[in-house]
């Protein structure tokens, strides 16, 4: 299956996007298609490459199309509309002054008092307004001729019919027929006012739509235009598109990092808040990762470029957001179906209204007023904008908070989640296991570690890293290994010096050793509750075990408390031993299942789904991939494996479980916003089209074309404005929703003795060991941190142990 994206230009309303989508789906070879009205991005899946046929079919419908995503300045169309508006408004004011000034007692020049100059001057001014906004007519009538009308067709019909009727009236005045009757029924002000108000509405709508895209624009703008590199031993400044993988780039105070890379020399601090949402600058030294688009300060460093251009983190985030916005939420299906037939239906209603009122009143001018009002009051734009405006604002806000949602469907499903399933290591815990003890039995410690490290050297599992690091620290060598095998969810095995060794959990030992060996191993570790154990054995003998512990993240405690308040069931599934899993589950007061293999996790998710549960699976490892795929919403912790991230619907950059909760909250907010928008779009049209038709004229409620066009513009603005409210969502350290202006909750410690960036790093290290996030202000000598289970006295003692004085904690 081939997936491609295209940029479509010329779409002005939901009828346009629906037509483009239908045309694409009719192209032979295309299996699916979705179009985003706001961004103009069309996402297509095809059995074979039919790009040429597809693009030709779209062009024949009167739209421009280019392959790929064209990231142009969002203000281009906004500026064009602004220019048209600045010309149109003074002309309309002048036209209204001539047409209606005498009615409100304003002085009118004498030469305009006579009927013919009075009518001709209005015709000329109206013609200028029409000329400035002529795009409505070219696009509208072109689509009307093809019997595929859109919103521009409604505007063009309503205003041009008004204008032509006015021209007819001018001719009648010129020949002296019913002069006074025609002089008071010119409709030029209606024709000019319709297109001007529509342009005003479009301008405000475009301005608002651009704000919904601000998150993507902000990300794109992070990458610097130039980079300072070291080539042939000399520093030189080059254009960013000349930077290639392997280049050594220079980082100085105030520089924006031009590529993803690794620090190879020097040190400093990087503000990664724009990518991760983390407000505290991150210390960088040799071996640290450098992220494109983040700001470097407080030092000097050199880094080697690992990923450049569109392979960098920032562009991958942009692509994920764009992909999400080019998909559709299932709830939008009804609106899409209505939008496809909306404009032809409105035109038909307008003709029926004209005919009915002519029969009733035999007054063409009176009947004509109702018909034009119907054309210009109907608003297909509100239907078309209801979903994409909210979706773009919501996914953009999620991205700003380090939550990357891959599709609209994932966002909708997040809103209905009632069961969250969690992996343990790296998700609930820090994922940085530390060795608590090495228990070798009948073998020297060095020999024991040498065998264990030989086995774990070839493993990518997170539990293997501390074993390898300990062996390296103790300068333990390695054996040659053969027949190495990773037994997912259990451990590893390999042939060393002709002997088959197994290193892993009790399940691995039970399946691969003699009964006596298994029972011996079980006896040795039965008192090691709440620990993760790696047992080393051959088929006939146990050689000991390594006890590993992994701390629970404070954010996991917060997240699970929030899920409980939201009445969402939380379950932990882990491949770890039962005693270790039980200790974590009891502390968090959640259900759990231990010693679960990857296929078992998948089956558990399937069981929940079969029971009618709406599941969200959160994990970070290769063994989580099957479960992530089978869950209604799969969420990958950002520091997890590529396979987990690829399998997931949502990626959390910050590795904080509270962001999974925030994803659910944003999903609920967006879905509520979409429902509000769709209700308004349908309610508006259902209410105002009958009023514009004159059904309430008997009780004196009428809509003339000018008021109708203003109402139509306001309808679109209401939808986009409602979606913009999503931009003000913010979450504090506790995962609680707050507005931007709400005071940050937490405590502040005043610390004497902090003088430099190194002091800052040491104090941050203290808080990190305590499992607390902290924000240091060197100038004020303060450390701000959220309220946790750690007491003030513990924090004070830990800081003062590093040689600093804690003045106060408030």
């Amino acid at each position: 299956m081939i997936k491609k994206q295209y940029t479509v230009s010329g779409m002005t309303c939901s009828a346009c996007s629906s037509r483009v989508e239908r045309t694409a789906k009719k192209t032979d070879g295309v299996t699916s298609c979705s179009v985003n009205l706001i961004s103009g991005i069309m996402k297509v899946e095809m059995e074979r490459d039919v790009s040429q046929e597809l693009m030709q079919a779209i062009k024949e419908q009167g739209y421009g199309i280019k392959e790929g995503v064209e990231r142009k300045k969002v203000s281009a169309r906004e500026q064009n509309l602004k220019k048209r508006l600045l010309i149109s408004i003074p002309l309309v004011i002048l036209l209204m002054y001539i047409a209606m000034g005498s009615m409100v007692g304003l002085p009118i020049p004498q030469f305009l008092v006579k009927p013919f100059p009075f009518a001709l001057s209005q015709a000329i001014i109206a013609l200028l307004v029409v000329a400035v906004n002529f795009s409505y007519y070219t696009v509208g009538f072109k689509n009307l001729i093809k019997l595929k009308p859109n919103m521009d067709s409604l505007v063009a019909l309503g205003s041009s019919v008004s204008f032509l009727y006015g021209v007819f009236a001018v001719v009648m005045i010129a020949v002296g027929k019913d002069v006074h009757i025609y002089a008071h029924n010119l409709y030029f002000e209606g024709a000019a006012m319709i297109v001007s108000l529509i342009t005003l509405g479009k301008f405000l709508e475009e301005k608002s739509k651009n704000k919904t895209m601000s998150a993507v624009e902000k990300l794109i703008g992070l990458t610097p235009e130039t980079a300072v590199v070291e080539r042939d031993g000399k520093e030189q400044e080059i254009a960013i598109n000349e930077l290639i993988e392997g280049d050594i780039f220079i980082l100085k105070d105030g520089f924006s990092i031009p590529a993803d890379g690794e620090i190879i020399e020097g040190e400093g601090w990087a503000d990664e808040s724009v990518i991760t949402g983390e407000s505290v600058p991150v210390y960088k030294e040799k071996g640290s990762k450098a992220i494109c688009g983040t700001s470097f300060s407080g030092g000097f460093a050199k880094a080697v470029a690992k990923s450049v251009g569109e392979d960098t983190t920032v562009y991958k985030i942009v692509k994920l957001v764009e992909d999400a916005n080019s998909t559709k939420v299932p709830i939008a299906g009804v609106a899409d179906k209505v939008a496809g037939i909306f404009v032809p239906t409105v035109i038909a209603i307008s003709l029926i209204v004209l005919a009915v009122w002519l029969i009733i009143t035999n007054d063409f001018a009176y009947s004509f007023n109702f018909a034009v009002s119907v054309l210009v009051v109907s608003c297909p734009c509100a239907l078309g904008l209801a979903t994409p405006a909210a979706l773009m604002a919501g996914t953009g806000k999620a991205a700003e908070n380090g939550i990357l949602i891959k599709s609209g469907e994932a966002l909708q499903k997040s809103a209905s989640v009632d069961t969250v399933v969690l992996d343990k290591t790296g998700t609930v815990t820090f994922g940085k296991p530390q060795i608590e003890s090495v228990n070798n039995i009948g073998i020297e410690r060095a020999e024991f570690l040498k065998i264990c490290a030989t086995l774990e050297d070839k493993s990518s599992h997170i539990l293997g890293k501390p074993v390898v690091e300990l062996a390296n620290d103790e300068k333990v060598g390695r054996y040659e290994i053969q027949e190495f095998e990773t037994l997912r969810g259990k451990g590893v095995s390999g042939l060393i010096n002709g002997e088959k060794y197994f290193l892993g959990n009790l399940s691995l030992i039970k399946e691969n050793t003699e009964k006596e060996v298994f029972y011996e191993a079980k006896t040795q570790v039965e008192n090691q509750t709440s620990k993760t154990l790696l047992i080393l054995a051959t088929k006939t003998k146990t050689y000991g075990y390594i006890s590993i512990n992994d701390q629970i993240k404070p954010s996991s405690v917060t997240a699970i408390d929030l899920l409980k308040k939201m009445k969402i069931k939380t379950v932990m599934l882990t491949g770890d031993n039962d005693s270790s899993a039980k200790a974590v589950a009891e502390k968090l007061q959640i259900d759990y299942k231990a010693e679960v293999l990857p296929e078992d996790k998948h089956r558990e998710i399937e069981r929940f789904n079969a029971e009618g549960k709406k599941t969200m699976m959160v994990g970070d490892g290769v063994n989580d991939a099957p479960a992530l795929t089978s869950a209604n919403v799969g969420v990958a912790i950002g520091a997890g494996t590529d396979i987990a991230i690829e399998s997931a619907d949502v990626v959390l950059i910050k590795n904080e479980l509270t962001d999974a909760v925030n994803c659910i909250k944003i999903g609920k907010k967006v879905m509520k916003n979409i429902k509000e928008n769709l209700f308004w779009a349908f309610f508006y049209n259902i209410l105002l089209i009958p009023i514009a038709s004159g059904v309430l004229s008997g009780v004196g409620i009428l809509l003339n074309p000018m008021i109708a066009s203003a109402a139509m513009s306001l309808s679109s603005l209401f939808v986009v404005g409602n979606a913009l409210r999503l931009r003000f969502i913010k979450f504090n350290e506790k995962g609680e929703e707050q507005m931007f202006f709400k005071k940050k909750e937490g405590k502040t410690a005043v610390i004497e003795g902090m003088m430099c960036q190194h002091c800052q790093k040491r104090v941050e290290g203290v808080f990190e060991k305590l499992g607390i996030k902290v924000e240091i202000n060197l100038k004020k000598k303060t450390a701000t941190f959220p309220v946790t289970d750690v007491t003030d006295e513990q924090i004070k003692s830990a800081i003062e142990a590093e040689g600093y004085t804690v003045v106060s904690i408030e």
Side-chain angles (χ1 to χ4, degrees):
M1 192 69 69
I2 300 171
K3 294 182 180 180
K4 286 195 174 186
Q5 288 186 318
Y6 303 83
T7 302
V8 182
S9 57
M11 295 188 296
T12 58
C13 69
S14 60
C16 295
S17 55
S18 294
R19 185 173 308 117
V20 169
E21 198 168 295
R22 286 198 305 271
T23 302
K25 286 178 179 176
K26 286 178 183 176
T27 305
D28 188 36
V30 173
T31 55
S32 71
C33 170
S34 62
V35 180
N36 185 290
L37 176 62
I38 294 178
S39 64
I41 296 172
M42 177 173 72
K43 190 175 181 181
V44 179
E45 288 187 11
M46 49 187 93
E47 295 171 344
R48 60 185 188 283
D49 194 347
V50 291
S51 291
Q52 293 303 316
E53 297 94 321
L54 174 63
M55 291 171 72
Q56 184 58 38
I58 301 297
K59 286 176 182 176
E60 286 175 1
Q61 296 298 317
Y63 302 99
I65 183 169
K66 290 182 180 179
E67 190 169 336
V69 176
E70 190 177 287
R71 298 189 182 99
K72 56 189 177 182
K73 293 284 185 183
V74 294
S75 60
R77 186 163 183 261
E78 182 184 320
Q79 289 301 318
N80 176 264
L81 287 165
K82 186 177 180 180
K83 287 176 185 175
R84 284 163 50 182
L85 201 56
L86 289 173
I87 297 170
S88 299
I89 288 177
L91 290 172
V92 169
I93 291 172
L94 179 60
L95 178 58
M96 296 299 288
Y97 169 70
I98 295 170
M100 300 181 181
S102 59
M103 297 180 191
V104 292
L106 294 175
I108 302 294
Q110 284 300 312
F111 75 94
L112 290 178
V113 174
K114 295 181 180 180
F116 184 70
F118 175 74
L120 185 61
S121 60
Q122 291 183 52
I124 293 169
I125 296 170
L127 183 62
L128 291 172
V129 175
V130 166
V132 169
N133 298 283
F134 203 65
S135 60
Y136 292 127
Y137 303 90
T138 53
V139 175
F141 283 118
K142 185 189 293 183
N143 287 318
L144 192 61
I145 291 167
K146 292 179 179 179
L147 301 179
K148 293 172 182 177
N150 65 350
M151 189 210 72
D152 286 345
S153 303
L154 297 179
V155 175
L157 272 174
S159 60
S160 59
V161 169
S162 296
F163 183 81
L164 290 174
Y165 182 82
V167 171
F168 170 74
V170 171
V171 173
M172 291 295 101
I173 291 168
V175 298
K177 186 175 180 182
D178 297 327
V179 172
H180 291 289
I181 293 174
Y182 285 112
H184 288 92
N185 290 283
L186 291 171
Y187 284 106
F188 286 125
E189 73 277 10
M193 186 65 82
I194 287 169
V195 291
S196 298
L197 284 173
I198 296 300
T199 300
L200 173 62
K202 285 282 182 187
F203 168 70
L204 295 173
E205 178 187 312
E206 192 69 21
K207 199 173 184 67
S208 298
K209 286 195 306 188
N210 289 343
K211 286 181 181 177
T212 67
M213 296 177 69
S214 62
V216 174
E217 290 297 309
K218 190 189 296 181
L219 287 168
I220 293 171
L222 292 176
T223 308
E225 295 181 359
T226 60
V228 177
V229 298
E230 186 179 89
R231 289 180 178 172
D232 301 323
K234 296 180 180 178
E235 288 187 19
Q236 62 183 88
E237 189 171 3
I238 61 171
I240 194 69
N241 56 7
E242 295 176 16
L243 189 67
I244 58 174
E245 286 183 35
D247 268 340
I248 305 296
F249 57 86
I250 309 298
L251 297 174
K252 299 178 183 178
D253 194 35
F255 275 30
S256 182
I257 299 176
D260 288 349
E262 183 179 322
I263 305 293
I264 57 172
E265 181 185 320
E267 60 183 0
W269 300 79
D271 179 359
E272 298 179 349
S273 58
V274 288
I275 301 294
T276 65
E278 181 59 67
S279 59
V280 182
V282 180
Y283 181 70
K284 299 292 178 181
E285 58 187 347
K286 186 177 179 180
S288 298
K289 289 182 179 179
I291 303 176
C292 178
T294 58
S295 179
F296 186 82
S297 63
F300 172 88
K302 293 181 182 179
V304 59
K306 299 285 189 180
S307 301
V308 299
E310 298 205 357
D311 292 327
T312 58
T313 301
V314 66
Y315 271 98
K316 285 178 181 176
I317 293 172
V318 168
K319 189 174 185 303
L320 280 173
V321 175
E322 287 177 339
D323 284 349
N325 287 325
S326 63
T327 62
K328 294 261 180 94
V329 289
I331 196 174
V334 176
D336 288 343
K337 289 176 182 177
V338 173
I341 60 168
F342 185 85
V343 176
T345 302
V346 169
I347 293 172
I349 292 171
S350 178
L351 291 172
I352 292 168
V353 166
L354 177 64
V356 169
W357 279 109
L358 272 174
I359 293 168
I360 295 171
T361 65
N362 199 29
D363 185 334
F364 180 78
Y366 188 75
S367 305
F368 176 77
N369 212 44
F370 288 123
V372 172
S373 294
V374 169
L375 287 174
V376 296
V377 80
S378 55
C379 189
C381 281
L383 282 171
L385 292 169
T387 299
L391 188 60
M392 188 162 282
T395 53
K397 176 50 63 177
E400 284 180 19
N401 283 277
I403 305 165
L404 305 182
I405 301 168
K406 293 184 179 180
S407 69
E409 185 176 2
L411 192 67
Q412 179 168 338
K413 287 181 177 178
S414 296
S416 58
V417 165
D418 57 23
T419 304
V420 174
V421 181
L422 306 172
D423 175 44
K424 182 176 81 72
T425 306
T427 302
V428 173
T429 63
F430 278 102
K432 294 179 181 177
Q434 295 180 338
I435 293 176
E436 290 204 345
S437 64
V438 176
N439 304 277
N440 45 298
I441 301 170
I443 186 174
E444 292 296 321
R445 176 185 171 94
E447 178 68 9
F448 177 78
L449 280 177
K450 190 173 184 179
I451 296 169
C452 291
T454 299
L455 288 162
E456 292 294 2
D457 257 342
K458 290 185 174 292
S459 170
S460 60
H461 198 280
I462 198 167
L463 293 176
K465 291 180 181 178
V467 177
V468 173
E469 287 171 1
L470 180 62
N472 290 340
D473 289 343
E474 297 190 11
K475 295 183 171 50
V476 172
R478 306 288 192 274
Y479 287 113
E480 286 190 10
I481 187 170
Q482 298 173 319
E483 298 179 17
F484 174 81
E485 187 179 1
T486 297
L487 303 154
R488 288 199 305 168
K490 298 176 184 177
V492 292
S493 67
L495 196 64
I496 299 173
N497 296 333
E499 185 85 58
K500 186 83 167 183
Y501 286 89
F502 301 92
L503 180 63
N505 58 26
L506 276 173
S507 295
L508 178 71
I509 305 305
K510 183 178 182 179
E511 291 176 9
N512 294 281
T513 65
E514 295 174 355
K515 283 185 179 180
E516 293 78 8
V517 175
F518 167 67
Y519 287 124
E520 181 186 353
K522 189 176 180 183
T523 302
Q524 289 169 358
V525 302
E526 63 184 358
N527 294 323
Q528 298 294 318
T529 57
S530 78
K531 305 291 191 301
T532 299
L533 305 172
L534 295 180
I535 304 164
L536 179 66
T538 60
K539 186 172 183 179
T540 58
K541 188 175 181 182
T542 302
Y543 289 95
Y545 60 90
I546 296 174
S547 176
I548 297 175
N549 200 7
D550 191 7
Q551 295 294 319
I552 297 171
K553 297 178 191 174
S555 63
S556 298
V557 178
T558 303
I560 289 167
D561 285 344
L562 288 168
L563 289 170
K564 288 175 182 175
K565 288 177 183 176
M566 296 166 69
K567 303 192 184 309
I568 294 175
K569 181 181 176 67
T570 310
V571 180
M572 185 177 72
L573 300 180
T574 178
D576 212 341
N577 65 71
D578 186 74
S579 60
S580 176
K582 184 179 181 181
V584 173
E586 284 183 348
K587 186 169 184 178
L588 296 173
Q589 296 183 331
I590 58 173
D591 295 337
Y592 78 98
K593 192 168 185 179
E595 300 176 18
V596 179
L597 298 176
E599 53 268 30
D600 295 329
K601 286 185 181 181
H602 171 74
R603 277 195 287 270
E604 282 295 309
I605 296 290
E606 290 293 332
R607 181 175 67 81
F608 282 129
N609 291 342
E611 291 173 0
K613 303 289 186 185
K614 306 298 181 185
T615 54
M616 172 183 277
M617 171 70 197
V618 187
D620 73 328
V622 173
N623 59 350
D624 296 319
L628 289 170
T629 305
S630 57
N632 293 107
V633 183
V635 179
I637 293 289
T641 64
D642 290 341
I643 294 174
I645 291 170
E646 184 67 29
S647 305
D649 302 300
V650 179
V651 178
L652 309 180
I653 295 178
K654 288 188 288 186
N655 297 337
E656 300 287 354
L657 195 54
T658 44
D659 282 343
V661 182
N662 293 344
C663 176
I664 295 172
K665 288 185 174 182
I666 289 173
K668 289 180 182 293
K669 286 280 184 185
V670 171
M671 291 313 301
K672 182 182 178 184
N673 196 281
I674 288 173
K675 288 173 182 176
E676 289 169 351
N677 286 348
L678 287 173
F679 171 79
W680 170 257
F682 284 111
F683 172 77
Y684 166 87
N685 285 293
I686 290 169
L687 177 68
L688 287 195
I689 289 177
I691 293 175
S693 302
V695 295
L696 298 179
S697 59
V699 292
I701 299 177
L702 298 169
L703 280 182
N704 67 41
M706 286 182 287
I707 295 174
S709 58
M712 181 230 190
S713 298
L714 288 171
S715 177
S716 296
L717 289 174
F718 178 89
V719 166
V720 179
N722 189 45
L724 283 175
R725 293 189 302 116
L726 295 169
R727 295 175 67 232
F728 298 101
I729 298 172
K730 192 178 181 182
F731 302 98
N732 62 18
E733 297 91 341
K734 296 182 179 181
E736 296 168 340
E737 187 183 336
Q738 62 181 34
M739 301 305 289
F740 285 109
F741 50 79
K742 186 173 179 180
K743 186 179 177 182
K744 197 171 186 178
E745 295 181 15
K747 290 187 175 183
T748 299
V750 179
I751 304 169
E752 284 294 338
M754 287 198 301
M755 306 295 291
C756 64
Q757 302 280 14
H758 294 287
C759 294
Q760 179 174 338
K761 187 185 176 188
R762 288 176 68 183
V763 174
E764 283 177 342
V766 171
F767 278 94
E768 187 177 346
K769 286 178 183 177
L770 294 171
I772 303 172
K773 277 187 175 185
V774 67
E775 187 171 341
I776 305 292
N777 187 316
L778 274 178
K779 190 174 180 181
K780 295 182 179 179
K781 300 186 186 305
T782 60
T784 304
F785 54 94
V787 178
T788 67
D789 294 334
V790 182
T791 66
D792 292 352
E793 192 57 42
Q794 288 173 311
I795 294 169
K796 182 179 179 181
S797 298
I799 294 171
E800 292 187 342
E802 292 292 325
Y804 302 100
T805 302
V806 178
V807 178
S808 65
I809 299 177
E810 296 177 352

